[in-house]
């Protein structure tokens, strides 16, 4: 895949993907990277920590940083997630503000835009889900955001269908700073395999329990053992805050937890490129989202 670069100068830079929950940030990262790196579900605030996707386009290495949706935090987990989002933006060469075009201007989006304006960094506006909105409705939204933010470029995309994403990638490839690559060209992400395993399990918890199990659930890799035949044995514990949630996750005669394990194992095997033997355990642990050790285990810096 090639971009707009026609010379042989290498470019490399960080691109932060920020926005309100459910704006489509993780879907856009996965579309741009050409593979699933960040978990996606219909629930808001699915992403809990910074996820780095490494993408080669022409002679440019793009380091795409998916961040948690920015919202009003209440718990220690919430505060850590929001801090991770802002840190991702502050460290980036270019920040993409992803906006749900269907939702339009919300209080949450206005607050994010106001804070981004204070950072005085390169900022591009990406209106997502534009395939679901009439074009004339996008102009007032663009104008309002541009009045708050010093926007360099505006892109209209559909992360779901891919419409407009190639144009965005080509422009990024041309405008990221010149410099050497920071990662091997065949790397896809800097996420440790242990964390990737936990994320694939957590994704299936979201997808298969729907509204039954809320955000009071997390997954943590307890063991990741290489085997002589090249496969890997992985043990993941799912923590929930209530006994009723544990019962839902296990299901009748263990049917739900088996289904979660089977789907997560297949997805993980595809991502890691080898056979995975996945074993799941469910534990009730009230208040895990306020525990520093649990937050560090799922990749979030400790926030006091």
């Amino acid at each position: 895949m090639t971009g707009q670069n026609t010379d042989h100068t290498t470019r490399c830079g960080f691109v932060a993907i920020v926005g309100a929950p459910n704006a489509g940030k993780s879907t856009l990262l996965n579309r741009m990277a050409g593979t699933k790196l960040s978990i996606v579900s219909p629930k808001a605030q699915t992403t809990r920590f910074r996820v780095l996707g490494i993408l080669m386009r022409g002679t440019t290495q793009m380091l795409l940083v998916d961040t948690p949706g920015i919202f009003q935090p209440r718990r220690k987990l919430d505060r850590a997630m929001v801090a991770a989002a802002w840190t991702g933006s502050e460290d980036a060469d270019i920040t993409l503000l992803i906006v749900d075009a269907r939702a339009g201007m919300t209080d949450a989006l206005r607050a994010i835009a106001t804070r981004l304006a204070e950072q005085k960094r390169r900022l591009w506006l990406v209106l997502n889900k534009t395939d679901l909105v009439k074009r004339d409705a996008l102009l007032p939204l663009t104008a309002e955001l541009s009045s708050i933010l010093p926007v360099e470029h505006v892109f209209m995309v559909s992360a779901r269908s891919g419409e407009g994403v190639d144009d965005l990638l080509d422009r990024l490839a041309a405008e990221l700073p010149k410099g050497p690559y920071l990662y091997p060209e065949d790397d896809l992400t800097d996420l440790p395999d242990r964390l990737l395993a936990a994320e694939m399990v957590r994704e299936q918890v979201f997808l298969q329990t729907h509204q039954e199990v809320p955000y009071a659930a997390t997954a943590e890799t307890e063991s990741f053992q290489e085997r002589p035949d090249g496969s890997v044995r992985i043990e993941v514990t799912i923590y929930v805050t209530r006994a009723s949630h544990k019962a839902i996750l296990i299901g009748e005669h263990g049917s739900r937890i088996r289904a979660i394990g089977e789907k997560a194992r297949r997805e993980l095997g595809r991502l890691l490129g080898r056979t995975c033997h996945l074993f799941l355990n469910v534990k009730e642990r009230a208040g895990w989202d306020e525990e520093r050790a649990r937050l560090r285990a799922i990749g979030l810096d400790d926030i006091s």
Side-chain angles (χ1 to χ4, degrees):
M1 193 176 288
T2 59
Q4 293 180 342
N5 292 335
T6 56
D7 59 24
H8 297 290
T9 302
T10 62
R11 295 174 180 268
C12 183
F14 286 89
V15 179
I17 303 172
V18 303
N22 260 11
K25 298 180 298 298
S26 296
T27 303
L28 181 61
L29 169 68
N30 293 340
R31 171 68 66 176
M32 293 167 79
T35 189
K36 180 154 68 177
L37 298 175
S38 194
I39 74 172
V40 177
S41 89
K43 296 177 171 62
Q45 300 158 27
T46 304
T47 301
R48 285 180 174 163
F49 54 88
R50 182 191 68 83
V51 176
L52 180 69
I54 302 164
L55 172 64
M56 295 301 304
R57 194 168 182 89
T59 56
T60 299
Q61 185 176 73
M62 302 180 203
L63 307 175
L64 307 170
V65 184
D66 182 24
T67 59
I70 299 171
F71 58 100
Q72 193 63 40
R74 295 187 303 276
R75 305 165 295 171
K76 186 184 287 286
L77 169 64
D78 299 338
R79 294 193 296 275
M81 288 164 61
V82 171
W86 286 118
T87 298
S89 173
E90 290 164 1
D91 294 342
D93 295 291
I94 296 174
T95 296
L96 305 180
L97 173 59
I98 313 302
V99 174
D100 181 345
R102 290 184 307 175
M105 180 63 82
T106 63
D107 290 342
L109 176 57
R110 188 183 301 278
I112 293 168
T114 301
R115 178 159 173 178
L116 283 173
E118 297 169 355
Q119 291 186 356
K120 294 181 171 59
R121 294 183 176 273
R122 297 188 68 184
L123 186 72
W124 297 6
L125 176 61
V126 180
L127 300 182
N128 188 27
K129 308 180 186 179
T130 55
D131 54 329
L132 305 175
V133 181
K134 292 183 178 178
R135 287 291 167 133
D136 56 2
L138 300 175
L139 296 177
L141 176 60
T142 302
E144 190 171 2
L145 283 166
S146 297
S147 70
I148 301 172
L149 289 162
V151 175
E152 283 189 17
H153 303 293
V154 179
F155 295 87
M156 299 184 182
V157 308
S158 168
R160 181 181 57 84
S161 71
E163 180 184 353
V165 174
D166 274 342
D167 291 340
L168 173 59
L169 287 172
D170 284 342
R171 182 59 67 92
L172 285 170
E175 295 202 22
L176 283 171
K178 295 178 181 179
Y181 301 151
L182 296 180
Y183 291 89
E185 293 182 47
D186 56 353
D187 278 8
L188 289 175
T189 181
D190 70 340
L191 270 190
D193 289 349
R194 294 176 64 97
L195 200 50
L196 202 58
E199 281 295 275
M200 291 303 102
V201 171
R202 191 166 68 90
E203 177 179 49
Q204 290 305 318
V205 170
F206 274 122
L207 294 178
Q208 297 196 40
T209 58
H210 306 294
Q211 302 300 320
E212 296 167 311
V213 178
Y215 290 91
T218 192
E220 188 175 320
T221 301
E222 306 284 357
S223 173
F224 195 101
Q225 297 177 332
E226 307 279 350
R227 291 166 53 123
D229 62 1
S231 66
V232 62
R233 186 185 193 279
I234 308 167
E235 296 180 14
V236 174
T237 297
I238 303 169
Y239 290 99
V240 294
T241 57
R242 299 178 187 174
S244 59
H245 295 162
K246 180 177 179 179
I248 290 170
L249 274 176
I250 292 173
E252 188 174 359
H253 305 302
S255 58
R256 176 68 60 75
I257 198 67
R258 279 198 302 274
I260 289 171
E262 287 170 6
K263 292 272 185 71
R265 176 180 53 77
R266 287 201 297 269
E267 189 66 34
L268 196 56
R270 185 185 66 80
L271 283 170
L272 298 182
R274 55 178 161 165
T275 301
C276 296
H277 307 280
L278 181 62
F279 300 88
L280 302 183
N281 187 25
V282 184
K283 291 183 180 179
E284 180 189 354
R285 193 181 186 102
W288 70 261
D289 50 359
E290 293 287 346
E291 294 181 23
R292 293 180 179 181
R294 295 280 79 75
L295 299 186
R296 284 195 298 271
I298 63 172
L300 286 167
D301 291 332
D302 184 23
I303 301 294
S304 58

